[in-house]
């Protein structure tokens, strides 16, 4: 017996008085749980909506969108599944919460909306609409069923070379599309690559961290935007000097994570990660995935080249290099299931999750070069301590912890071919020398 649910359901507008009376009549009881279950079964409510109504929440709309489910928590805000009340189209709605609604975040949001609105590529998440409901700003994008690459790896372990190549090459195609339009993503990471159950991959959040090259009205120009685990060395040294190549470095780190299940520089704080991006090479990927071929490892290494001028040149080239591992059909190795986010197990360090929110969104930190010390005020990443650049301690004199031993056989330090000619020559020399010595000794004794 209870009334909260019934009252909320009617007040929310999701269920009419008549519909409610019919259900109560049908089940012959006033039991909230039973009424809710019946309404869910009949398709009038979703499980999520019923849950919310039980708690007394009645506002389940954002502008003309009806919230049907909760998808996840990101660095910027929550993401919901929704349906347009009139058009009936399913979509994803990203909300900018009130407490984070600063002038800077609103500007970023408006920028994302404008940029995304102009993108039309099968490998990029499409933007449909944007709006404001009271003080809440929201962005409506295409809903991509499935999961993101980070969750895929966390739940099922590293992907095979074929599966990884399939996902990353599509992401590369999406990035090339953006690069051709003069956009740099700046926050390429596994969490921003959405993968459908059919194996179709799409890059998300392009507008969130992207900025138009050459536009100097970008409120974030000159600030580091990105997640420490995937930041390129040039992005760390001088955030103004980034270009499409920076996305390729981040995509290389993403590929490394996809096939090994490890970020390239695990452990340590963001400052330490940044230093290692600039100065060290990661463990050889075969340490974690022994079956990776030499060519595959070389492709990762060429994407993660520290010097942008020596890095693999374009996203198209990345896609082409990965093509030989792409299976013809979009067959995936494992079933994909979307679930609500769960808190990561404590102590598990894939380098991305330290907080309880599970968010790994972009961090915006104070401007300035890495060498001059990063400032610690994060505008957006405050919900996720640890892995964000925004959480870098402001004390630039703090010693940098280098807890990552350097493996001599890391990607860039490729093994030199075995010097067969030299060894054969040396052995011939030794044999000839020995024969000559023997001959001399023999001559000496015959002359005696
Ligand atoms: N368009 C979408 N369709 C389906 N799921 C999405 C979409 N956009 C984001 N998500 C899901 O919501 C989660 C949070 O997204 P987001 O706010 O972009 O996180 P982040 O700030 O870490 O990039 C993502 O990990 C993803 O699984
Ligand atoms: Mg995202």
């Amino acid at each position: 017996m209870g009334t909260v649910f019934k009252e909320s359901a009617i007040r929310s507008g999701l269920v009419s008085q008549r519909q409610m009376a019919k259900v109560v009549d049908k089940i012959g009881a006033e039991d909230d749980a039973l009424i809710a279950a019946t309404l869910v079964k009949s398709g009038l409510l979703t499980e999520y909506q019923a849950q919310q109504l039980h708690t007394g929440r009645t506002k389940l709309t954002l502008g003309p969108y009806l919230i049907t489910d909760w998808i996840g928590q990101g660095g910027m805000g929550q993401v919901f599944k929704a349906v347009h009340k009139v058009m009936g189209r399913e979509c994803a709605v990203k909300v900018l919460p009130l407490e984070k609604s600063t002038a800077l975040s609103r500007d970023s949001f408006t920028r994302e909306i404008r940029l995304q609105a102009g993108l039309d590529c099968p490998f990029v998440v499409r933007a449909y609409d944007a709006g404001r409901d009271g003080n809440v700003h929201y962005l409506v994008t295409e809903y991509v069923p499935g999961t993101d690459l980070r969750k895929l790896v966390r739940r099922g372990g590293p992907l095979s070379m074929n599966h990884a190549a399939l996902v990353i090459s599509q992401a590369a195609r999406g990035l090339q599309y953006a690069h051709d339009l003069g956009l740099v993503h700046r926050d390429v990471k596994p969490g921003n690559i959405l993968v459908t159950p059919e194996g179709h991959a799409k890059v998300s959040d392009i507008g969130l961290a992207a900025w138009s090259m050459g536009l100097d009205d970008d409120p974030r120009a000159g600030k580091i935007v990105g997640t420490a685990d995937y930041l390129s060395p040039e992005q760390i040294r001088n955030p103004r000097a980034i270009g499409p190549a920076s996305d390729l470095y981040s995509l290389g780190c993403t590929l490394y994570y996809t096939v090994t299940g490890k970020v390239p520089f695990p452990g340590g704080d963001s400052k330490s990660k940044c230093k290692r991006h600039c100065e060290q090479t990661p463990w050889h990927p075969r340490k974690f995935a022994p079956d990776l071929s030499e060519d595959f490892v070389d492709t990762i290494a060429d994407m993660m080249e520290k010097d942008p001028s020596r890095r693999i040149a374009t996203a198209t080239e990345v896609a082409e290099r990965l093509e030989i591992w792409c299976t013809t059909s979009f067959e995936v190795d494992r079933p994909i299931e979307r679930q609500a986010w769960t808190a990561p197990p404590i102590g598990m360090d894939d380098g991305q999750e330290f907080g309880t929110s599970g968010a790994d969104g972009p961090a915006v930190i104070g401007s300035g070069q890495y060498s001059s010390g990063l400032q610690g005020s994060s505008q957006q990443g405050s919900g996720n301590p640890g892995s964000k650049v925004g959480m870098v301690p402001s004390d630039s004199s703090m010693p940098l912890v280098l807890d990552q031993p350097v493996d001599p056989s890391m990607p860039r330090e490729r093994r030199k071919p075995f010097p067969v000619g030299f060894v054969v020559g040396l052995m011939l020399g030794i044999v000839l020398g020995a024969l000559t010595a023997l001959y001399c000794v023999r001559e000496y004794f015959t002359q005696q």
Side-chain angles (χ1 to χ4, degrees), residues 36-116:
T38 311
L39 287 167
V40 169
K41 210 169 156 201
S42 70
L44 262 179
L45 293 180
T46 65
E47 293 268 7
Y48 172 81
Q49 289 168 336
Q51 242 175 43
Q52 295 298 306
L53 296 172
H54 270 302
T55 66
R57 197 159 165 215
T58 55
K59 175 146 170 54
L60 286 160
T61 55
L62 272 173
Y65 297 91
L66 200 59
I67 306 295
T68 56
D69 206 353
W70 181 79
I71 297 179
Q73 167 77 50
M76 195 83 161
Q78 310 230 39
V79 183
F80 296 95
K81 192 171 170 183
V83 63
H84 192 280
K85 281 193 245 174
V86 180
M87 312 299 279
R89 179 159 69 174
E90 206 167 57
C91 51
V93 178
K94 183 178 276 197
V95 170
L96 183 65
L98 257 185
E99 68 269 22
K100 289 188 182 173
S101 180
T102 62
L104 179 72
S105 64
R106 272 196 302 274
D107 279 357
S108 299
F109 213 59
T110 310
R111 181 164 291 270
E112 169 168 30
I113 291 159
R114 295 250 165 87
L115 289 171
Q116 283 203 11

Side-chain angles (χ1 to χ4, degrees), residues 71-80 91-94 125-126 141-148 150-151 187 189 191-192 194 204-205 208 338 341 358-362:
I71 297 179
Q73 167 77 50
M76 195 83 161
Q78 310 230 39
V79 183
F80 296 95
C91 51
V93 178
K94 183 178 276 197
V125 174
R126 286 190 172 83
T141 66
E142 141 187 38
Y143 171 70
V144 182
T147 188
D148 61 66
R150 172 169 157 262
K151 285 185 205 160
D187 194 22
K189 61 180 182 179
N192 276 341
L194 304 182
S204 76
D205 285 350
L208 194 67
R338 181 176 289 286
W341 278 28
D360 66 343

